[in-house]
Amino acid sequence: VFNKLRRLQEFKWFKDRGVEPYCISCGNTLGGDEWACGHLRSVGSNSQLRYDPINTYLQHNVRCNKNLSGDINGTATTKGYKQGLIDRFGADEALWITDYCEIHNDTVKWDWQLMEQWRKEWNKEIRELEKYLNDQSM
């Protein structure tokens, strides 16, 4: 539910600016892939950032997120997640985002009650975002 919410929040961010959604890592539009909620810091080693919106931005699911393991630093043909943050938000905010994700490394254990509360809140926001995005496309 969180991943769907973040994708919709990202779509809204782009729509509000009149820009076609693009991948934070390669800068390309969707193409033949699908969109993912790509994490700057991997959830395997940084589970405390799994549900943190500051750690997640729109990314190609297969090409950049899976095949390039998030494409954090870029390749010969991509700019990478970190450069994508700079291009999108500017150097100062990108540095703040990366620093934030580096220092928030406390182990977190979420209980099922909190997860259920979040799921309800996120589903409500998803419905609102879907309505907003559908209304804007008319």
Side-chain angles (χ1 to χ4, degrees), residues 24-138:
I24 194 78
S25 295
C26 69
N28 294 326
T29 56
L30 184 58
D33 207 335
E34 59 186 30
W35 289 122
C37 166
H39 292 76
L40 173 62
R41 301 280 296 172
S42 75
V43 297
S45 60
N46 301 278
S47 61
Q48 71 281 1
L49 295 171
R50 175 181 300 270
Y51 303 114
D52 193 327
I54 296 170
N55 186 47
T56 56
Y57 297 94
L58 202 59
Q59 190 176 52
H60 287 115
N61 189 35
V62 176
R63 182 174 187 272
C64 297
N65 195 16
K66 290 180 182 173
N67 292 350
L68 297 176
S69 299
D71 194 22
I72 302 303
N73 295 310
T75 66
T77 59
T78 65
K79 60 185 175 182
Y81 204 118
K82 289 180 180 178
Q83 183 61 47
L85 289 171
I86 293 169
D87 293 350
R88 183 167 167 183
F89 299 113
D92 290 341
E93 189 168 348
L95 179 61
W96 180 86
I97 291 168
T98 54
D99 286 350
Y100 171 92
C101 291
E102 290 291 326
I103 62 172
H104 282 80
N105 54 15
D106 296 333
T107 303
V108 175
K109 279 207 146 212
W110 295 290
D111 60 32
W112 70 268
Q113 293 94 342
L114 178 61
M115 299 298 292
E116 184 64 20
Q117 175 188 340
W118 282 350
R119 187 185 63 76
K120 288 177 183 176
E121 291 170 8
W122 293 339
N123 275 325
K124 180 181 179 200
E125 189 172 347
I126 285 170
R127 287 189 299 275
E128 292 168 0
L129 283 167
E130 287 175 334
K131 182 178 181 334
Y132 173 81
L133 292 169
N134 286 334
D135 290 347
Q136 294 298 310
S137 63
M138 292 182 177

